[in-house]
Amino acid sequence: MIPAPFEYVRAGSLDEACRVLAEAEEAGEDVKVLAGGQSLLPLLRLRLAYLSALVDVGRLAELRGVEDRGDHVFVGALTTHDEVLRSEVVRELVPLLALATATVADPAVRHRGTFGGSLAHADPAGDLPAVALALDCVFVVRSDEGEREIPASDFFVDYLESALEPGEVLVGVRVPKLGPGWGFHYEKFHRTAQSWATVGVAAAVRLGEGVVEEARIALTNMGPTPVRARAVETALRGVPLGSSDGERLRQVCDLADEGASPPADLHGDPAYRRHLARVLTRRAVVTAGA
Amino acid sequence: MTEQLDAGLVAERIAESDQLSAPSGDREIGRARRRKEDARLVTGRTTWTDNIQLPGMLYVTFLRSPMAHARITRVDTSAARARPGVVAALSGRDLADEQGSLPCAWPVTEDIVIPDHPPMAVEEVRYVGEAVACVVATDRYAAADALEEIEVDYEPLEAVVDMTEALTEGSPKVHETGNRAFTWRFAQGDVGAAFRDAPIVVERDYVQQRLIPTAMEPRAVVATTDGDSFTLYSATQIPHVLRVMLAMTTGIPEHRLRVVAPDVGGGFGSKLQVTAEEVLALLLTRRIGRPVKWTESRSEGNLTVHHGRDQLQRIRLAAERDGRLRAVQVELLADMGAYLMLVTPGVPLLGAFMYNGIYKMDAYDFTCTGVFTTKMPTDAYRGAGRPEATFAIERAMDELAHELGLDPVEVRRRNWIAHEEFPYTTVCGLTYDSGNYEAATDRALDLFGYDTLREEQARRRAEGDPIQLGIGVSTFTEMCGLAPSRVLGSLSYGAGGWEHASVRVLPTGKVEVVTGTSPHGQGHETAWSQIASDALGVPFEDVSVLHGDTAISHKGMDTYGSRSLVVGGIAVLSACEKVKDRARELAAHMLEASAEDVEFADGSFRVRGTSQGRTIQEVALAAFAAHDLPDGVEPGLDAETTFDPDNFSFPHGTHLCAVEVDTETGGTTIRSYVAVDDVGAVVNPLIVEGQVHGGIAQGIGQALFEEAIYDAEGNLLTTTMADYLVPTALDLPEFVTDRTETPATSNPLGVKGVGEAGTIASTPAVVNAVVDALRPYGVRDVRMPCTPERVWRAINSGTSGASGVSEASEGSHGSGAPQSSQGSRASEGFEGGGR
């Protein structure tokens, strides 16, 4: 559990971090940004990854904090999971984020691990990517050449691969408030309290007179990236919740795994994961609509 | 999901169990003392092996085989040696002449095959993780980096991962001698007759999956020498056994070798071993002349700490129509892994006399074949043999009840040994000294609310509730307190089972107890202090307990097999009695009375019928000064005892588990768990409670969560704790525990072992509950661990959940054993049980 040698740079400012990253890119070096280290350091310690340098942004206060910005909440990339959980703004205005964050690992990890680090790591088994996808979050990133925005639908490229270019740092994420009438739930199925989701479902549902008017559903660990379950979103429109007609909801939610390509691992094969996605989507929708 | 057991009720029940243990008078024994060692252990203000820093210390890292089976054709360490900070880089070839072979102390049969087991592979590797080279460097980082510079060429050989296939003609061989290590058989009574016309036969196959012990403290070793004598510090359970074995293995004379087990953070059997790393650390310090340290990482440990269980079990019961047992027959295949380590072949034998459980029957037949595979060797893991036995009989008793349409508790009642029948000699020839299965079971049923839960279960079944309720029963006993030396000898074990203690009252009246047991988390310092305090009439605080260093405690057999209290604790008591006898003689002299007239109470010797007396502290000072000792009396107040027990210890109990199974996801949640254990008299109820809680958690781990999985090429897939799932408090319910106290008659304290009881009892209780929940779906078994995926598949196929893509396919039984007349077989055949 000893990583291979690497250079370590503690950035004093975001500009400095960007500059160091740009220089490293120019030199063809393999550099990564270090935030809470809860995902990256295990990879290094197990020697599953070899890097020439780490740029530690951990002390950059400018990347930290939660802010209500009218139609969205801006969450700084360095905000820890614990800070997200304790934020009144998050709990009141973007509760799906709080619901999902509460299921992340354990208190020790939540105190060190960061919101942005978890998203930039782009692990489809992480809980937050599905939330970002379901809510159509916007990722704000900075490099030596300036700032740009990446919609969540473009951010998750492949397994552990995001749309961040070498030299770019995730500054924060705009989390849209969906407005009145929406209910939320994150349904996570995992084998122990501290293990990753076998499958997770992030759901936002807007009801009108007991009938679904609009739904946003995204799935955790159902493919190399988080998966937006568009088919079930469309089919849910007009479906009554909480009535005696549970069969219709069941049929609709059987579309949940459409377009997913779930992995096979020790905790479930693809067929089981597809089944779980359907069951958990139904439960998530019912709870979100309750 | 539904309501949990009410927290107030839990507190009330815990309070009730406290009352049971209320001490009588001022006695220490029976008092729920907080453990005196805990402050230093939990704050880390102590010496763990990895904390030890010696001047000039070097650090060792091992290069481990990535191949399950291969011939080593070349090892080049030159590039590693050239790196900064590197003092040595060595291959197995470099050490071949001095490294010897790791010992196996339990040759269970005359014809057992014990292959040569070099601590570092020389010619061939036989499991992933086997050490092939090492780097010794001035710091851990230099060592880890240099390791990557070592080049090894392998010529791949075929992996052997499935026990059944390993025994087939034409299987690749792990060792030239073949893949069968031994076959051991034990039979009593006429089993053939019992089965021939039996009205009911139940036959089932069960898989004891491979487990990784996962002690909290990883293994660590420090070795040092002054050029003449050697000291080995190791996170071990067995400093005394280790010293003898290392002296035999390395050629370092025993009197020049000191072994120290500093504070050790758990073992569960995994540190009951003579490891390659311990031997190699000694060889390296001998070769280099400087202290060396090695500490494993968790992933390295998952690969190379000996594994536990891994057996394929076939159990057959012959019974009457009323459920009374006639006979039990057991066939086992036990995966040895690639080599036989310290007690590898003996583990199944520790279960061989236990498949009859607490039940009466006329005949018994047990056969076990040990099989070599290209996997990490197996060896003792909490319970060692007895959890496997208890699982098989308790699962099979539930199946028998189901076949007969009887309640599973009732079928047990009809078979168990009645309270008035003790002492009872079982079909296996063991004499259970005491027990009261009725009392423990009645208490458990009451605490559990058994009838109410059965009603709820019926209701949910009738309503087709997607959350089904299952109730599991486990009535267990076990043989522990290892062990009478004569019995061990009759089983070909390489040592005895006695234990040593010495007790000295210092000039100031304080007491030192030196024990040959080697605590690694159990709380011996507290419990031994309580025993000595009562025996000598000194305050609890005035007792210190010394252990874990062969230079301090010269004689001992260490800690495993729930032996410390029932063997080592009795040795402490006996040494205290000897001290008291010596003190009485001196006190009589001081009081000018005859020893017969001197009585001892509350720490003072008094002449009977007078107020004249001397405290034991006064006597100790007089014994130290030695100014006026009777003729023939030696100065000082000390004594020692080596105690060899006559019998094993037989704790028992009834565990009941209620689970809720989500039939849509396959997820299992434990709703309530009641354990009523009878461990005889209790020295410290708090320690007993801790052992029971931890044991239950570990048994639940086997039932629901844990499995070491190798792929077809022999790669371990569960090298991290993200893949090898160990439950935490978050995954477990509140346990409701209680005790009945039926004192052991085999020792003066009336105590029985408790260290393994919870683990032995809980696994079948949980799996019985899962299967019980799924009976309406036609499910008769779910292979352990009962993962959500397996449960879901079982529900959807009405079998054992074994038909999944990643599972072994169904196999047919090829050994020609008769098919069961009643019980249908679990879907997973004996042949198909591999992984």
Side-chain angles (χ1 to χ4, degrees), chain B residues 699-761:
Chain B
I700 290 173
Q702 176 170 13
L704 297 181
F705 298 106
E706 300 182 33
E707 182 170 24
I709 301 171
Y710 282 88
D711 68 13
E713 283 74 47
N715 298 300
L716 182 67
L717 303 180
T718 51
T719 56
T720 74
M721 295 189 80
D723 298 311
Y724 188 84
L725 298 184
V726 176
T728 67
L730 296 172
D731 304 299
L732 301 168
E734 292 277 347
F735 302 136
V736 175
T737 61
D738 201 352
R739 285 185 284 106
T740 53
E741 285 195 13
T742 313
T745 60
S746 54
N747 66 66
L749 288 177
V751 294
K752 306 175 186 177
V754 67
E756 298 160 297
T759 307
I760 291 167

Side-chain angles (χ1 to χ4, degrees), chain B residues 11 269 284 303 364 433 448 584 660 670 783 827:
Chain B
L284 291 170
L303 279 171
Y364 180 78
D433 61 332
F448 191 63
R584 184 193 310 274
E660 291 185 334
I670 297 178
R783 207 187 115 174
S827 76

Side-chain angles (χ1 to χ4, degrees), chain B residues 410-459:
Chain B
E410 178 57 26
V411 85
R412 287 167 169 83
R413 271 188 206 284
R414 291 181 188 183
N415 282 288
W416 71 37
I417 301 156
H419 178 48
E420 59 274 13
E421 293 177 279
F422 288 91
Y424 184 89
T425 299
T426 71
V427 70
C428 291
L430 293 173
T431 300
Y432 295 178
D433 61 332
S434 74
N436 191 336
Y437 307 140
E438 299 91 328
T441 303
D442 289 346
R443 180 70 181 140
L445 291 171
D446 189 33
L447 286 170
F448 191 63
Y450 187 82
D451 295 335
T452 312
L453 283 167
R454 282 285 180 213
E455 284 163 22
E456 182 184 335
Q457 177 182 51
R459 194 169 66 241

